[in-house]
Amino acid sequence: MKSNDPNTTTNRRSFIGTIATGAAAMSLATLASPLQSVAGTGKFNHAPNDDDPDAWFNKLKGKHKIAFDCTQPNGVFPFAWPRVFLMTNQLTGTPEKDSNVVVILRHNSIPYAMNTDAWTKYKFGDVFKINDEMTKASAVRNAFWKPSPGDFKIPGVGNVAIGINELQESGVMFCVCNMALTVFSAAVAEGMGLNATDVYKDWKSSLLPGIQIVPSGVWAVGRAQEHGCAYCFAG
């Protein structure tokens, strides 16, 4: 049934726009097709059997635990806030090793889980509406993977180590939503005239070292809270 609600129409157009690549516009049916396929067959792309996401969450043993839920690109915040959490816990007497941080990359934030080659090849800046703060143009790189010294400065603080690799060195755990990887890779594949399975495999092989695939982002939000993490919406 067609909705006459202008807000509904605007939201639908906005969502469809996020999965456009280059000049190839996606239709709602493009996105619905992979979702219906998953629901109808019960088949779904899984992480390797030896890559158990439940076991991954069992690593959370710290005194203070928090999960940052990242659904959208939100500037530096999904990466700055984990560092602020660690820094301020240190200032109040808890060393890094006793603080746990989980960053959940889901929905439109999943490109941050992948390397620059994937950003360039699949035009993630266009697809997910992410601009590069350095060039002010559509991003063709993952700016938060191995950034150069001085790339990120906070007024009153100075240079801050908020690269994904730098946060991982401080014990921050990153995971990415497999449902989003499956659906968005299928939508992008159709827009580019590619095979959906091939694109999913390529995205998976493009994941940064140490990124854990989880069945879905909302699954990870639930598991993190079951393991004692406080919840913080990060964008």
Side-chain angles (χ1 to χ4, degrees):
M1 180 179 295
K2 184 176 181 179
S3 171
N4 293 320
D5 183 345
N7 291 327
T8 300
T9 302
T10 299
N11 290 339
R12 183 182 299 116
R13 287 174 179 169
S14 176
F15 181 69
I16 293 172
T18 65
I19 54 171
T21 178
M26 305 286 185
S27 68
L28 189 59
T30 298
L31 184 62
S33 178
L35 278 174
Q36 291 169 347
S37 177
V38 169
T41 65
K43 295 180 179 179
F44 192 63
N45 293 312
H46 290 283
N49 291 332
D50 60 350
D51 201 10
D52 181 358
D54 270 314
W56 185 76
F57 274 102
N58 289 335
K59 298 175 183 178
L60 296 171
K61 305 291 186 183
K63 178 179 179 181
H64 303 298
K65 298 179 283 239
I66 192 168
F68 290 98
D69 183 18
C70 308
T71 65
Q72 302 288 337
N74 189 21
V76 302
F77 296 111
F79 311 99
W81 286 341
R83 178 60 68 192
V84 170
F85 179 81
L86 294 173
M87 289 172 59
T88 50
N89 268 296
Q90 282 185 304
L91 290 172
T92 52
T94 305
E96 271 189 2
K97 65 181 179 63
D98 292 329
S99 294
N100 292 150
V101 179
V102 176
V103 178
I104 301 166
L105 301 172
R106 64 185 181 97
H107 199 53
N108 284 345
S109 72
I110 62 172
Y112 292 121
M114 288 176 270
N115 62 33
T116 286
D117 287 345
W119 280 66
T120 304
K121 181 177 181 179
Y122 295 103
K123 303 185 188 303
F124 284 161
D126 292 337
V127 175
F128 295 95
K129 308 302 180 188
I130 304 172
N131 285 336
D132 190 316
E133 289 301 315
M134 294 290 185
T135 65
K136 306 304 180 184
S138 185
V140 293
R141 67 186 180 110
N142 188 341
F144 293 96
W145 179 245
K146 296 186 177 179
S148 299
D151 276 0
F152 300 109
K153 298 179 181 179
I154 296 178
V157 177
N159 294 334
V160 288
I162 60 172
I164 292 172
N165 55 300
E166 296 167 318
L167 292 169
Q168 288 175 327
E169 289 170 3
S170 293
V172 176
M173 299 163 60
F174 286 84
C175 62
V176 63
C177 172
N178 196 41
M179 178 64 80
L181 287 174
T182 300
V183 173
F184 279 109
S185 64
V188 167
E190 186 164 334
M192 296 178 70
L194 301 173
N195 179 273
T197 300
D198 290 342
V199 174
Y200 170 81
K201 289 179 178 178
D202 196 20
W203 285 22
K204 184 176 170 184
S205 69
S206 299
L207 291 178
L208 300 173
I211 302 285
Q212 171 71 42
I213 297 178
V214 291
S216 71
V218 289
W219 180 96
V221 168
R223 287 297 194 275
Q225 292 181 300
E226 288 170 11
H227 284 77
C229 288
Y231 174 88
C232 183
F233 182 67

